[in-house]
């Protein structure tokens, strides 16, 4: 139970993560068409696919994408290009918006629920659960895919939780 919102925590239906045993964390996740030069969007896509390989999502599944830092690789590329007076390719503008990959996931899996992208200053996991609980309580979604994704010098990580309403 979330004491701040007064709502029950969503129940985890399936979960997945990047990297997991057998993944090449150095090479990164498989390339994602239309998204270049960064592991951010491919990580989101691979953990979503892994979740949905375990169960068929409901059509009214929403997506909550949570990242404290966003797509650092793309941001760095754009910063360096601008600083050096170079042209920035249009794909970098497209993929620099986190809801671009959320829209890709929604389209790929036929999801018609809401899409929410947040960059919390506090606990990302708690933020994702809270956002999902609100969408479920409002009836905007029957399930929510929460994706927590971060790029870091210590390694890129992503976790996906497919959740539904109810108490644990």
């Amino acid at each position: 139970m979330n004491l701040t919102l007064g709502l029950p925590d969503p129940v985890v239906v399936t979960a997945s993560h990047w990297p997991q045993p057998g993944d090449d964390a150095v090479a990164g996740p498989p390339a994602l068409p239309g998204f270049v030069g960064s592991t951010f969007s491919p990580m989101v896509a691979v953990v979503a696919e892994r979740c949905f390989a375990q169960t068929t999502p409901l059509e009214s599944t929403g997506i909550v994408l949570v990242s404290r830092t966003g797509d650092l690789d793309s941001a760095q590329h754009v910063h360096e290009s601008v600083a050096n007076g170079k042209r920035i390719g249009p794909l970098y503008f497209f993929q620099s918006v986190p809801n671009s990959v959320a829209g890709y996931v929604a389209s790929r899996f036929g999801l018609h629920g809401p899409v929410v992208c947040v960059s919390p200053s506090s606990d990302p996991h708690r933020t994702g659960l809270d956002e999902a609980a609100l969408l479920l309580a409002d009836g905007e979604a029957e399930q929510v895919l929460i994706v927590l994704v971060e790029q870091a010098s210590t390694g890129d990580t992503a976790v996906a939780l497919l959740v539904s309403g109810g108490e644990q």
Side-chain angles (χ1 to χ4, degrees):
M1 171 72 79
N2 179 302
L3 299 178
T4 304
L5 297 175
L7 298 172
D9 278 341
V11 174
V12 176
V13 177
T14 62
S16 66
H17 60 276
W18 173 270
Q20 65 184 23
D23 288 338
D24 185 346
V26 175
L32 188 61
F35 296 88
V36 296
S38 175
T39 60
F40 186 89
S41 294
M43 281 192 298
V44 171
V46 77
V47 294
E49 185 171 333
R50 287 174 177 173
C51 261
F52 296 144
Q54 299 173 50
T55 188
T56 303
L58 301 174
E59 187 175 315
S60 65
T61 298
I63 300 172
V64 173
L65 181 61
V66 184
S67 180
R68 295 179 91 174
T69 58
D71 186 342
L72 290 177
D73 290 344
S74 292
Q76 183 64 30
H77 171 77
V78 170
H79 172 77
E80 290 172 2
S81 295
V82 170
N84 294 322
K86 294 183 179 177
R87 182 180 176 276
I88 302 166
L91 285 179
Y92 279 97
F93 287 109
F94 165 77
Q95 76 182 23
S96 67
V97 181
N99 66 358
S100 295
V101 72
Y104 170 87
V105 168
S107 176
R108 164 97 166 69
F109 295 100
L111 310 180
H112 296 283
V115 172
V116 177
C117 298
V118 293
S119 181
S121 59
S122 59
D123 179 18
H125 186 261
R126 178 79 259 160
T127 299
L129 288 174
D130 290 349
E131 291 292 331
L134 287 169
L135 294 175
L136 293 165
D138 286 346
E140 294 186 47
E142 292 179 80
Q143 293 179 323
V144 177
L145 179 70
I146 303 168
V147 181
L148 305 127
V149 58
E150 298 297 341
Q151 293 177 312
S153 60
T154 56
D156 297 344
T157 60
V159 174
L161 305 170
L162 181 62
V163 300
S164 65
E167 296 198 24
Q168 294 188 22

